[in-house]
Amino acid sequence: MLAALAFASCSKYTELEPVDAASEKVAFETPANIKLAMLGVYESAAIGAYNGDKASARGYPFGAASIEQAEMRGEDMLNIDQFYAITYSGDVNTTSANNVNHWNNLYALINQTNVMIEGVTGAVKNNVISDAEAKAYEGEARFLRALAHHELLIHFCFPYGDGAGSKAGIPYRVKAVTTMQAVQENLSMGRGTVAEAYTKLLADLDFAETNITNATYPAADGGYSRATKGAAIALKIRIKQHMGDWDGVIAEGAKLGTSLAAPPFKSPVGNYELTADPEVPFTNYKSNSESVFSIANGPNSNGGSNGALAAMFGPADKNGRGLVATSPILYNASFWVVNDLRRSKLQVLQTTAGARYYFNYKFRDYTNRADWAPIIRYAEVLLNVAEAYSRKGNVAQAFALLNAVRNRSVTNLVDRFAVPPADLTLAILNERRIEFTGEGRRWPDIHRLAKDPVYGINGIPAKMLRSQMKLDGTDYNPATPPVFSGTGVPKYDYDNFRYLWPFPSTEVAANPTLKNQQNKGY
């Protein structure tokens, strides 16, 4: 999104060490500085730090890590090496790196958004920018604040569907840590409930939708790597889906064109529409009609060899690290037809003898690692609303939305659905697994559906291990799926403490309120 110099110059504006430094004040003294400060918030969303060291950033929280962690908590991608072994096996603890860094970087981003909101509010009082400009910046910040808090909810809390949000939530922080008083207030904040957090999520996104005035940003300003009105609506659709608010999903979806009677579906906000080819959102990640919101990476600013999507998900024979492959659980699934274009275009077989895995081929800049991280695509909007229509009994609209996504990749007429499947909701859920593999949507679906009486997994699903495979290429055979022997990672039931991640030990040591509200088992 930005040149290295721009990243270096903007990141300092919202750094708060020490908390009484003047840097955040300087950031809001001119319109140009405010623009750089906002870009610094996006940098925090993309790069973060690893164990407090920004020089060894690994794409926390949204530049890569949110996708990688969500895939490793699910069963559709296969952990090959030790890099993600703890997440994959569910053996995290209060000091394990992946979950601790995810928590720390999410709250660091949240603080950046709060600093931004406080700063632009003050800039209006000082006649630096107009009230409308300040509210537009605040809308962007509140979009990111909602995105970050929801990420915390899906890893550290039980889903909304368990008791209508009555279970313990996470601290929803809305005050900037720029004074010692603010430090103390944040370090004594308790969890609240999941429902209370969701109410605040929606309030943030309603504000963003109303006040982000730009329908789109020009490419020079980051394109769809900036939060927009359409992105706020799309994220609300996702949030309401997690709540099981199907009427709300349908109502929000109508704003983005999902109530049209038939394909092609096109959004009047942001002009989103599916690309004709499923490959385009990934080969042309800076400019396509389908991406709603992505996190920008670049040659000089990315998750690095230890975090970037192309490095982690890419095969070694193409200069990736070959750490995470597609699991035969998904590749051989009966619901994924053999001739689907997403096999031929978005999966790639590693040719290395004795290590013939299929790898995700959505992120393929193995040299520069500049692939943008997709957070919301229009395909997700369509399938989210399709599920809502199906749940509400509107089969025709649900079927039309499903086919809009499915039929661009399933091009053989014989493989297409001539009539709605008997279980249309299941078909939509299965389509999500195919369409979004490698994009981090599997764990959020497992999480939100945990207590669903029909479609819930009721825990963390069983997973394959590399040791169960022959590794000669025959493990991947959807036409005649092989039978795998041996023992993989076992399923963990919903009531197993491993279902939730723990709060970091450093957090509970500093916050006596959270210490008494730690997730059980840790």
Side-chain angles (χ1 to χ4, degrees), residues 150 154 159-161 198 201-202 205 233-253 376 379-389 391 425 428-429 432 436 441-450 452:
H150 191 244
I154 65 172
Y160 189 96
Y198 270 81
L201 290 172
L202 292 174
L205 294 173
I233 296 169
L235 186 53
K236 275 202 291 182
I237 292 170
R238 181 188 289 177
I239 298 303
K240 288 178 178 289
Q241 178 196 50
H242 277 256
M243 298 172 70
D245 178 6
W246 306 118
D247 290 329
V249 170
I250 291 169
E252 296 293 337
I376 308 174
E380 183 192 341
V381 172
L382 298 183
L383 290 179
N384 288 353
V385 181
E387 182 181 347
Y389 275 120
R391 300 268 193 171
T425 299
I428 293 166
L429 295 175
R432 295 174 65 84
F436 304 126
R441 301 314 312 152
R442 183 56 183 149
W443 174 253
D445 277 354
I446 292 169
H447 184 265
R448 73 180 174 88
L449 295 168
D452 188 291

Side-chain angles (χ1 to χ4, degrees), residues 186-244:
N186 276 306
L187 288 180
S188 62
M189 184 178 294
R191 298 183 64 167
T193 67
V194 169
E196 288 168 345
Y198 270 81
T199 297
K200 293 172 183 177
L201 290 172
L202 292 174
D204 274 346
L205 294 173
D206 283 340
F207 184 96
E209 178 190 355
T210 301
N211 291 285
I212 299 177
T213 54
N214 307 63
T216 58
Y217 285 90
D221 283 339
Y224 48 82
S225 66
R226 297 284 294 270
T228 61
K229 178 184 180 76
I233 296 169
L235 186 53
K236 275 202 291 182
I237 292 170
R238 181 188 289 177
I239 298 303
K240 288 178 178 289
Q241 178 196 50
H242 277 256
M243 298 172 70

Side-chain angles (χ1 to χ4, degrees), residues 27-328:
F28 302 104
E29 287 184 344
T30 69
N33 282 3
I34 291 171
K35 182 178 180 179
L36 281 175
M38 187 72 248
L39 296 178
V41 180
Y42 283 101
E43 182 206 13
S44 289
I47 304 302
Y50 187 72
N51 293 337
D53 179 12
K54 211 158 193 176
S56 59
R58 297 186 180 183
Y60 285 100
F62 294 113
S66 64
I67 293 174
E68 291 155 357
Q69 296 304 316
E71 292 294 355
M72 290 294 86
R73 296 203 73 185
E75 80 278 38
D76 288 346
M77 296 188 78
L78 174 74
N79 178 58
I80 294 174
D81 214 324
Q82 290 299 306
F83 205 92
Y84 292 108
I86 292 174
T87 302
Y88 194 70
S89 65
D91 289 331
V92 302
N93 57 51
T94 61
T95 61
S96 48
N98 288 339
N99 50 298
V100 168
N101 278 286
H102 211 42
W103 171 281
N104 289 341
N105 279 282
L106 285 163
Y107 273 115
L109 170 59
I110 288 165
N111 191 56
Q112 296 270 39
T113 66
N114 292 333
V115 171
M116 190 72 201
I117 292 167
E118 184 180 276
V120 295
T121 301
V124 173
K125 295 177 181 178
N126 295 327
N127 297 315
V128 178
I129 57 175
S130 70
D131 182 65
E133 290 173 311
K135 285 180 177 176
Y137 280 123
E138 181 176 348
E140 289 187 77
R142 289 177 72 159
F143 171 88
L144 292 170
R145 186 168 76 183
L147 183 70
H149 278 109
H150 191 244
E151 183 74 7
L152 288 160
L153 284 165
I154 65 172
H155 288 296
F156 296 91
C157 303
F158 289 112
Y160 189 96
D162 186 351
S166 62
K167 297 298 176 84
I170 39 90
Y172 204 100
R173 291 176 174 156
V174 297
K175 290 187 177 181
V177 180
T178 57
T179 66
M180 289 309 301
Q181 180 181 352
V183 170
Q184 294 303 319
E185 287 180 10
N186 276 306
L187 288 180
S188 62
M189 184 178 294
R191 298 183 64 167
T193 67
V194 169
E196 288 168 345
Y198 270 81
T199 297
K200 293 172 183 177
L201 290 172
L202 292 174
D204 274 346
L205 294 173
D206 283 340
F207 184 96
E209 178 190 355
T210 301
N211 291 285
I212 299 177
T213 54
N214 307 63
T216 58
Y217 285 90
D221 283 339
Y224 48 82
S225 66
R226 297 284 294 270
T228 61
K229 178 184 180 76
I233 296 169
L235 186 53
K236 275 202 291 182
I237 292 170
R238 181 188 289 177
I239 298 303
K240 288 178 178 289
Q241 178 196 50
H242 277 256
M243 298 172 70
D245 178 6
W246 306 118
D247 290 329
V249 170
I250 291 169
E252 296 293 337
K255 300 176 184 177
L256 299 186
T258 60
S259 61
L260 296 174
F265 295 98
K266 185 171 182 176
S267 172
V269 178
N271 297 316
Y272 311 119
E273 61 182 331
L274 294 178
T275 59
D277 188 320
E279 193 176 28
V280 170
F282 308 100
T283 58
N284 195 15
Y285 51 80
K286 290 185 179 180
S287 177
N288 67 82
S289 63
E290 186 171 333
S291 294
V292 176
F293 179 70
S294 295
I295 292 291
N297 290 304
N300 298 308
S301 186
N302 57 65
S305 61
N306 287 326
L309 290 163
M312 300 293 99
F313 291 174
D317 64 351
K318 291 185 178 295
N319 294 319
R321 292 192 62 187
L323 298 181
V324 177
T326 299
S327 174

Side-chain angles (χ1 to χ4, degrees), residues 333-346:
S334 60
F335 55 79
W336 194 356
V337 298
V338 173
N339 294 316
D340 192 313
L341 292 180
R342 290 166 294 192
R343 289 188 186 279
S344 58
K345 292 192 171 189
L346 296 175

